Amino acid sequence: MYYYISQKAAEVRTRFNIVSFPVHIADIEQILIDLDYDLVILPDISKACVIGDTIMMPNAENPEYRRLLAHEVGHIFLHDFNSFRQNPVNTRKCECQAEAFAAYFLIEESLFLEDLKYLNDEELAEKYGVPIEFILFRKTLVDHLAA
């Protein structure tokens, strides 16, 4: 499962010519525009979601906003159904898949493996423009591709 998701993230980066890190927020927003999605920021929500062709986002700081955008792009490329109608087990699986997509999309595997040798978690978070908790999650995915 994780290999497929890592490949899909790489395909999306290639398709939209994403070659620098941290991935620019404007580049992720452009992907959504190119796919005919509308982006709405709502200050009263705590989680992002896709409803039809609209992505509703909470007002968040840049590292978290970047992660949330990439997560929602993951849903678009991995899931072609309404998750509101899924049972809780399937919903959790889809959320895990979208989060893994975001991790692979925002933090390319070979660069990350090299950076792990020299940078601590805080430096990694700064380099990739993501929250430190996301770096910790991304580290858990390294072993999944090797297995």
Side-chain angles (χ1 to χ4, degrees):
M1 173 175 75
Y2 289 109
Y3 180 76
Y4 168 78
I5 293 170
S6 71
Q7 292 304 109
K8 182 57 83 172
E11 286 174 24
V12 173
R13 276 198 317 271
T14 300
R15 175 178 169 186
F16 292 97
N17 198 30
I18 306 290
V19 295
S20 64
F21 299 91
V23 175
H24 297 286
I25 289 172
D27 290 341
I28 306 170
E29 291 173 336
Q30 188 61 51
I31 290 171
L32 297 170
I33 291 167
D34 291 349
L35 296 172
D36 293 325
Y37 280 84
D38 295 319
L39 185 62
V40 178
I41 298 177
L42 300 170
D44 297 334
I45 63 173
S46 61
K47 294 184 178 186
C49 65
V50 179
I51 299 177
D53 62 356
T54 301
I55 298 175
M56 291 176 240
M57 296 284 292
N59 192 10
E61 295 293 322
N62 279 351
E64 182 63 9
Y65 184 73
R66 179 180 286 109
R67 183 196 71 78
L68 289 170
L69 277 176
H71 178 102
E72 297 308 318
V73 169
H75 280 301
I76 291 166
F77 280 97
L78 298 173
H79 310 125
D80 61 352
F81 53 83
N82 184 341
S83 65
F84 292 113
R85 295 189 178 150
Q86 296 297 308
N87 67 50
V89 173
N90 286 341
T91 298
R92 178 71 182 134
K93 179 180 175 183
C94 290
E95 289 303 317
C96 290
Q97 290 172 345
E99 195 69 356
F101 176 93
Y104 291 124
F105 179 78
L106 295 174
I107 307 170
E108 193 274 333
E109 185 74 12
S110 63
L111 293 175
F112 189 60
L113 290 174
E114 189 64 24
D115 288 339
L116 281 173
K117 297 175 187 175
Y118 306 104
L119 302 175
N120 65 38
D121 293 344
E122 292 82 12
E123 293 167 327
L124 289 165
E126 185 173 328
K127 176 176 181 172
Y128 291 102
V130 296
I132 195 164
E133 298 81 14
F134 197 63
I135 291 296
L136 300 175
F137 172 70
R138 180 62 179 87
K139 284 175 147 181
T140 69
L141 297 178
V142 170
D143 293 335
H144 285 287
L145 288 184

